[in-house]
């Protein structure tokens, strides 16, 4: 497949990423079990009557997609593709609570209708009155990467010229309780967490939404060229190096051609070993991490792609993301490596446009 271009990028996250020049204000979050996204004033974007019926995922996605389309100067995308790990879980919990509270009788269907994973893509399309290709991917931590693969197919097959693609996940009270019980979320006594040298299991959980407009042509607003993506559901720890090097070789690159590597260190000692292995492949590259800024969640890779886009465009790496002291005079190629709890490994290769 030929490369496509990321022509705009928007993100709602734990950081104030909607504003311009947010690099200096990035702050690490390592002492709280659960991180909440900084939300905009939704009334500026969504009619009040609609806000009441929207889950947090839908609201965040609606605003992030609005910013992405506005920056790209696109009114009607040729396709809308969304990735999510948990979907609109707030409404799912509300529906199940109603089932229990009402003894399975006299149930209103609203929460059930709005709890489906494709609600996000559907609501964006309704807001835009867009009747184009509309698809949702639910592939845990590689949901966004699958969405980007589909985006490349849509553009390469000339089904669309510009695609609105993004990912979003929200937190819900009951799910967070369950995550605490099964030790997905780090215990209070193990905080604050050292993301790079953690000796305990579990993560700090976050949330957010990241949306991009991807097109077949480079524009004045282009952030990066989306060169290639690779996904593997399972990976043996000893295969990490070959997994990365084979991907680079397929794109006629060597490890020394990668200027920066963004790794998904989450503070979970069991699964972070993959990233430690990956670091050995790149002795001369700038090594970066990001989940101390965003928290871990199913589509946290959206935050890392958003950060990579800004690094490529501004040719500046925030100090707070740096693992090693390597600094490049020019950042041309960035490799992003992510997984969730050791499953669904993904590689994304971005090039300066």
């Amino acid at each position: 497949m030929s490369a496509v271009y990321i022509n705009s990028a928007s993100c709602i996250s734990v950081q104030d990423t909607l504003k311009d020049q947010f690099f200096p204000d990035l702050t690490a979050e390592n002492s709280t079990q659960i991180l909440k996204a900084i939300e905009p004033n939704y009334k500026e974007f969504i009619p009040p009557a609609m806000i009441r019926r929207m889950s947090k995922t839908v609201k965040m996605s609606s605003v992030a997609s609005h910013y992405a389309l506005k920056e790209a100067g696109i009114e009607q995308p040729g396709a809308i593709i969304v990735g999510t790990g948990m979907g609109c879980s707030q409404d799912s919990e509300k529906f199940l609570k109603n089932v229990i509270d009402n003894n399975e009788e006299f149930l209103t269907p609203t929460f059930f209708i709005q709890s489906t994973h494709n609600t996000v893509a559907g609501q964006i399309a309704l807001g835009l009155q867009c009747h184009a290709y509309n698809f949702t991917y639910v592939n845990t931590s590689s949901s966004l990467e699958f969405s980007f693969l589909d985006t490349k197919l849509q553009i390469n097959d000339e089904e669309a010229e510009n695609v609105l693609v993004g990912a979003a996940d929200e937190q819900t009270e009951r799910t967070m309780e369950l995550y605490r019980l099964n030790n997905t979320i780090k215990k209070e006594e193990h905080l604050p967490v050292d993301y790079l040298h953690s000796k305990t299991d579990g993560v700090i959980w976050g949330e957010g939404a990241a949306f991009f407009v991807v097109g077949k042509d480079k524009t004045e607003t282009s952030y990066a060229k989306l060169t290639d993506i690779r996904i593997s559901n399972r990976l043996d720890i000893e295969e990490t190096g070959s997994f990365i090097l084979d991907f680079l070789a397929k794109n006629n690159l060597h490890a020394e051609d990668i200027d920066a590597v963004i790794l998904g260190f989450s503070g979970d000692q069991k699964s972070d070993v993959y990233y430690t292995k990956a670091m050995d492949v790149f002795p001369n590259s700038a090594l970066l991490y990001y989940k101390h800024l965003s928290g871990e969640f199913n589509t946290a890779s959206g935050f890392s792609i958003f950060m990579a886009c800004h690094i490529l465009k501004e040719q500046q790496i925030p100090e707070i993301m740096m693992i090693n002291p390597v600094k490049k005079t020019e950042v041309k190629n960035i490799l992003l490596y992510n997984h969730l709890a050791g499953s669904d490994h993904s590689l994304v290769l971005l090039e300066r446009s």
Side-chain angles (χ1 to χ4, degrees):
M1 285 190 287
S2 59
V4 294
Y5 293 90
I6 299 176
N7 294 330
S8 72
S10 174
C11 183
I12 293 174
S13 68
V14 173
Q15 308 293 327
D16 194 2
T17 40
L18 277 183
K19 71 175 185 181
D20 296 330
Q21 304 302 319
F22 60 88
F23 273 11
D25 298 323
L26 292 171
T27 52
E29 306 283 354
N30 62 0
S31 301
T32 311
Q33 286 180 303
I34 296 167
L35 303 174
K36 298 285 186 187
I38 297 174
E39 297 178 85
N41 182 3
Y42 293 122
K43 290 178 183 176
E44 295 177 10
F45 306 93
I46 306 166
M50 292 180 67
I51 291 174
R52 291 199 310 273
R53 296 195 298 271
M54 285 183 170
S55 69
K56 193 174 186 178
T57 303
V58 175
K59 288 187 287 188
M60 290 192 298
S61 301
S62 296
V63 174
S65 61
H66 167 83
Y67 273 97
L69 289 167
K70 185 179 178 182
E71 184 183 13
I74 301 291
E75 290 187 7
Q76 285 288 334
I80 297 172
I81 304 173
V82 175
T84 181
M86 301 291 286
C88 301
S89 45
Q90 282 182 0
D91 286 322
S92 299
E93 287 189 6
K94 286 176 185 174
F95 175 72
L96 292 172
K97 188 174 185 302
N98 279 352
V99 170
I100 295 165
D101 292 347
N102 295 306
N103 295 314
E104 303 180 23
E105 295 178 333
F106 313 118
L107 299 171
T108 56
T110 309
F111 290 134
F112 175 73
I113 294 165
Q114 293 176 343
S115 70
T116 57
H117 289 71
N118 60 357
T119 301
V120 177
Q123 287 284 4
I124 293 170
L126 281 170
L128 296 171
Q129 290 296 297
C130 176
H131 303 285
Y133 178 87
N134 191 289
F135 210 86
T136 300
Y137 284 89
V138 187
N139 302 80
T140 59
S141 65
S142 54
S143 300
L144 179 58
E145 288 78 1
F146 275 105
S147 300
F148 270 121
L149 277 175
D150 192 1
T151 297
K152 283 173 71 75
L153 284 169
Q154 293 296 316
I155 293 171
N156 289 162
D157 291 346
E158 299 183 354
E159 296 289 336
E161 286 194 12
N162 293 286
V163 177
L164 176 65
V165 56
D169 274 300
E170 66 189 7
Q171 297 160 354
T172 52
E173 195 175 325
R174 181 60 179 151
T175 303
M176 294 304 103
E177 285 177 14
L178 295 172
Y179 279 3
R180 282 191 178 98
L181 286 171
N182 72 0
N183 297 324
T184 295
I185 291 175
K186 214 170 263 298
K187 293 178 179 177
E188 284 276 8
E189 58 265 31
H190 295 153
L191 299 175
V193 59
D194 181 347
Y195 278 83
L196 299 177
H197 309 99
S198 176
K199 299 286 188 256
T200 56
D201 295 341
V203 301
I204 289 176
W205 203 260
E207 63 181 354
F211 275 79
F212 311 86
V213 171
V214 178
K216 70 171 187 176
D217 299 318
K218 179 181 173 182
T219 69
E220 290 180 6
T221 63
S222 291
Y223 282 85
K225 182 161 76 170
L226 177 59
T227 306
D228 202 4
I229 297 167
R230 184 179 184 185
I231 300 164
S232 177
N233 177 247
R234 291 278 181 269
L235 191 68
D236 188 82
I237 185 66
E238 300 305 323
E239 297 173 334
T240 308
S242 59
F243 174 65
I244 294 168
L245 290 172
D246 290 349
F247 175 70
L248 294 179
K250 178 183 167 228
N251 289 283
N252 300 312
L253 293 170
H254 301 284
E256 52 268 25
D257 297 319
I258 304 299
D259 301 299
V261 183
I262 302 182
L263 303 163
F265 278 101
S266 65
D268 176 45
Q269 66 162 353
K270 277 195 296 196
S271 59
D272 279 351
V273 290
Y274 285 97
Y275 300 125
T276 307
K277 280 280 185 186
M279 287 168 63
D280 296 337
V281 179
F282 301 99
N284 302 313
S285 303
L287 302 174
L288 315 175
Y289 70 128
Y290 66 94
K291 285 177 183 170
H292 60 310
L293 304 175
S294 68
E296 174 70 285
F297 56 101
N298 283 272
T299 50
S301 59
F303 181 84
S304 70
I305 293 172
F306 173 77
M307 293 301 295
C309 286
H310 278 273
I311 289 169
L312 286 167
K313 193 166 191 175
E314 298 173 29
Q315 288 296 293
Q316 175 191 354
I317 296 174
E319 293 276 347
I320 198 167
M321 293 181 70
M322 294 175 67
I323 298 173
N324 63 355
V326 175
K327 290 188 177 181
K328 299 285 185 175
T329 52
E330 181 190 13
V331 182
K332 187 182 178 188
N333 292 309
I334 295 183
L335 180 71
L336 301 97
Y337 175 30
N338 184 59
H339 63 71
L340 180 65
S343 298
D344 297 304
H345 300 256
S346 66
L347 297 171
V348 178
L349 181 61
L350 298 180
E351 186 181 331
R352 187 182 184 187
S353 62

